[in-house]
């Protein structure tokens, strides 16, 4: 076997072997590869339509994106859109409407371009942090194609997450440096403001910046904390404005809104493991998840698992500060969506958009470290030194296999978001006890002129799904409206 590998490695072109042995990858090739991957996976979405899940409110029936009149521009800055204060997102949709009108494909194309931008920013950020372009590219490629990001990219109304992520990553590129100037810090704060104006999720960015200065740069708290006063005040202001707009809990899944905070924390511990599982094996992805009420056995087991992870990260915080920073950063980006303040869903694929970067980076770094360990072992034995190119190629092949596998899975799942009918048929099939997917499926069927089928779906939902009083009222109202319309139609 050794002889066979030796022969293979000697035939491998010397310049390619040099790239595989080194920890570097040409920037141009890396960026071209990321662009090819994003287009390969997501370009079919240009042929998709709008879905009846926020798209009517954000785009189709949104008067704020229909005109460039100064009064309309002032409304974008001063008013809420879909119970959110995100003027930069609304402005991006205004640009889209100017370019594309009512053609949904144009909005999808913009989302794809934003996702590609984010993949490039992930690559540039990780290349700087790790000084290892293989790790940076492998992690960015996984980020580019992973199926869990389909909701963020293929759903037009998720524009705010994509746009905010772009400015968050740009802010981190400016801040996460071994040595910073005042210009770098000013640029980071400027990008933070833009991120906040795209989506309030950016309020956690000052905490990530503080974690970098404390964990990686090892600055005293008294030195690091004052730098976050201005970013923190800006974030608090946007958070206050956004929370004042959250005056309704209609939509989504609401069963958990009656749970105690202890119950929420217990479920969060389990959900965090589910998120890790989704990133490793993305099966059963859905627009809405049926998360069961907490069982203390599962919560205790999940807590024990996280305690072990925390212990290992804490032990290595000085020898591997980037690992500790990545783990803490992922948790910080997830904190706003763990229902510590009430949300109408317990878990969503889009919540993993930025936190996934940390896991992909850790996976790529682990693969590279394994390869480097084998390199060193081979170097210690003269008869195995000729295997180094083959080992380098094996590292690349493993990464390529993962990327290709996730890309293939993404292409299979992507058509779910083609339109409202495909989205809600899939959701109702995967979460049959939830009422919302059936209600939205009925709306999609009614809009397609299939009123009889829509009524049948609502009747089944009334009998088979778990309903709260809001869902029951929505079903009864639609049944009454559509039945009356059917009776008054000329056919009757």
């Amino acid at each position: 076997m050794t002889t066979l590998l030796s022969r293979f490695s000697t035939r491998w072109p010397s310049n390619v072997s040099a790239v595989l042995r080194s920890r570097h990858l040409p920037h141009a090739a890396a960026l071209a590869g990321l662009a090819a991957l994003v287009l390969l996976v997501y370009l079919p979405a240009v042929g998709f339509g709008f879905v009846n899940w926020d798209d009517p409110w954000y785009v189709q029936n949104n008067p704020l994106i229909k005109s460039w009149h100064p009064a309309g521009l002032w409304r974008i800055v001063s008013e809420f859109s879909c119970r959110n204060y995100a003027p930069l997102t609304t402005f991006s949709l205004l640009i889209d409407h100017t370019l594309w009108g009512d053609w949904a494909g144009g909005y999808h194309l913009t989302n794809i371009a934003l996702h590609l931008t984010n993949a490039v920013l992930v690559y540039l950020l990780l290349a700087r942090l790790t000084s290892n372009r293989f790790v940076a590219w492998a992690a960015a490629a996984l980020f580019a194609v992973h199926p869990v990001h389909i909701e963020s990219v293929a759903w037009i109304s998720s524009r705010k997450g994509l746009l905010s992520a772009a400015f968050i990553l740009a802010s981190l590129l400016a801040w996460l440096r071994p040595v910073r100037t005042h210009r770098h810090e000013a640029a980071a704060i400027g990008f933070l403001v833009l991120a906040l104006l795209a989506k309030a999720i950016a309020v956690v960015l000052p905490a990530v910046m503080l974690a970098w200065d404390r964990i990686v740069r090892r600055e005293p708290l008294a030195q690091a904390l004052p730098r976050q006063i201005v970013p923190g005040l800006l974030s608090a202001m946007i958070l206050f404005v956004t929370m004042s707009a959250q005056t309704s809990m209609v939509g989504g899944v609401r069963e958990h809104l009656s749970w105690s905070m202890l119950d929420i924390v217990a479920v969060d511990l389990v959900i965090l493991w589910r998120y890790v599982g989704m990133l490793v094996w993305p099966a059963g992805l859905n627009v809405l998840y049926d998360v069961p009420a907490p069982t203390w056995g599962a919560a205790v087991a999940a807590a024990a698992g996280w305690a072990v992870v925390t212990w290992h990260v804490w032990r290595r915080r000085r020898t591997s500060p980037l690992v500790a920073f990545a783990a803490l950063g992922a948790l910080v980006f997830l904190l706003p969506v763990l229902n510590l303040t009430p949300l109408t869903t317990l878990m969503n694929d889009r919540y993993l958009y930025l936190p996934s970067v940390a896991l992909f980076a850790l996976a790529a770094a682990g693969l590279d470290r394994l390869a480097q360990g084998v390199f060193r072992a081979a170097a210690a034995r003269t008869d195995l030194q000729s295997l180094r190119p083959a080992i380098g190629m094996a590292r690349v092949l493993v990464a390529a296999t993962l990327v290709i596998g996730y890309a293939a899975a993404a292409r299979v799942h992507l058509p779910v978001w083609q339109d409202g009918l495909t989205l809600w048929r899939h959701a109702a099939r995967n979460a049959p006890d939830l009422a919302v997917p059936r209600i939205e499926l009925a709306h999609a069927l009614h809009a397609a002129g299939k009123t009889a089928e829509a009524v049948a779906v609502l009747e089944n939902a009334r009998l088979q799904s778990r309903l709260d009083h809001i869902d029951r009222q929505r079903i009864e109202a639609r049944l009454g409206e559509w039945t009356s319309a059917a009776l008054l139609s000329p056919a009757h």
Side-chain angles (χ1 to χ4, degrees), residues 402-418:
L402 289 173
V403 171
I404 292 171
Y406 286 131
R411 283 297 299 265
V412 170
H413 184 66
L414 183 66
V416 166
W417 285 86
Q418 182 172 353

Side-chain angles (χ1 to χ4, degrees), residues 347-424:
M347 60 182 291
N348 285 114
D349 295 354
R350 62 186 179 275
Y351 294 166
L352 289 175
Y353 192 71
L354 283 177
S356 68
V357 174
L359 184 63
F360 296 151
L362 291 173
L367 175 61
D368 183 69
R369 184 170 181 176
L370 177 63
Q372 296 299 326
V374 177
F375 284 162
R376 288 190 293 270
R381 294 183 56 180
T382 305
D383 61 322
L384 293 180
Q385 288 190 20
S386 59
L387 297 182
R388 287 171 60 87
I391 295 169
M393 183 184 179
R395 174 190 63 170
V396 173
L397 287 177
V398 171
T401 300
L402 289 173
V403 171
I404 292 171
Y406 286 131
R411 283 297 299 265
V412 170
H413 184 66
L414 183 66
V416 166
W417 285 86
Q418 182 172 353
D419 54 41
L421 286 175
T422 58
L423 177 66
W424 295 114

Side-chain angles (χ1 to χ4, degrees), residues 196-259:
L196 290 168
L197 294 177
K199 188 179 181 180
I201 193 73
V203 296
V204 301
L205 193 50
V208 177
M209 295 173 173
L210 179 62
W212 170 265
D213 288 347
R214 290 284 290 132
I215 296 172
V216 181
R217 289 176 46 140
R218 297 181 181 174
E219 292 183 357
L221 184 62
Q223 181 180 341
L225 189 58
R227 290 198 188 96
Q228 302 308 323
I229 292 176
V230 172
L233 288 175
L234 292 170
S235 299
M237 182 169 57
I238 290 294
L239 182 62
F240 175 78
V241 171
T242 300
M243 289 183 67
S244 69
Q246 301 296 317
T247 57
S248 172
M249 284 295 171
V250 177
V253 180
R254 297 173 298 275
E255 288 178 310
H256 59 283
L257 297 178
S258 62
W259 296 354

Side-chain angles (χ1 to χ4, degrees), residues 145-149 276-285 289 405-406 409-410 413:
V145 304
H146 199 282
V148 82
H149 295 329
V276 174
M278 288 163 60
L279 290 173
V280 175
W281 189 258
L285 300 179
Y289 292 95
Y406 286 131
H413 184 66

Side-chain angles (χ1 to χ4, degrees), residues 72-255:
L73 296 178
W74 173 246
R75 290 183 63 195
I76 290 177
V77 174
S78 60
E79 293 184 9
F80 301 123
S81 181
C82 293
R83 306 195 310 275
N84 284 283
Y85 183 69
L88 202 58
T89 297
T90 305
F91 185 74
S92 78
L93 294 171
L94 170 62
I95 295 174
D96 268 4
H97 187 269
T98 303
L99 293 173
W100 317 116
D102 295 328
W103 180 48
Y107 300 83
H108 286 296
L109 189 60
T110 304
N111 275 21
I112 294 168
L114 283 171
H115 181 56
L116 174 56
T117 300
N118 292 338
V120 169
L121 291 172
V122 167
Y123 167 75
L124 295 176
L125 179 62
L126 294 179
R128 174 189 294 161
L129 297 184
T130 64
S131 300
N132 186 324
R133 293 185 188 176
F134 167 79
V135 169
W137 190 86
L142 292 171
F143 174 85
V145 304
H146 199 282
V148 82
H149 295 329
I150 287 175
E151 179 175 283
S152 295
V153 183
W155 183 26
I156 293 173
S157 292
S158 196
R159 168 73 57 82
K160 55 186 180 293
L162 294 172
L163 193 59
S164 181
F167 291 121
I168 287 172
L169 291 167
S171 182
L172 292 176
L173 266 170
W175 193 274
L176 305 188
R177 297 170 177 268
V179 178
R180 279 195 313 268
T181 66
H182 292 305
R183 172 181 280 183
H184 292 141
E185 293 186 355
I189 293 173
F191 285 125
L192 166 63
V193 171
L194 295 174
L196 290 168
L197 294 177
K199 188 179 181 180
I201 193 73
V203 296
V204 301
L205 193 50
V208 177
M209 295 173 173
L210 179 62
W212 170 265
D213 288 347
R214 290 284 290 132
I215 296 172
V216 181
R217 289 176 46 140
R218 297 181 181 174
E219 292 183 357
L221 184 62
Q223 181 180 341
L225 189 58
R227 290 198 188 96
Q228 302 308 323
I229 292 176
V230 172
L233 288 175
L234 292 170
S235 299
M237 182 169 57
I238 290 294
L239 182 62
F240 175 78
V241 171
T242 300
M243 289 183 67
S244 69
Q246 301 296 317
T247 57
S248 172
M249 284 295 171
V250 177
V253 180
R254 297 173 298 275
E255 288 178 310

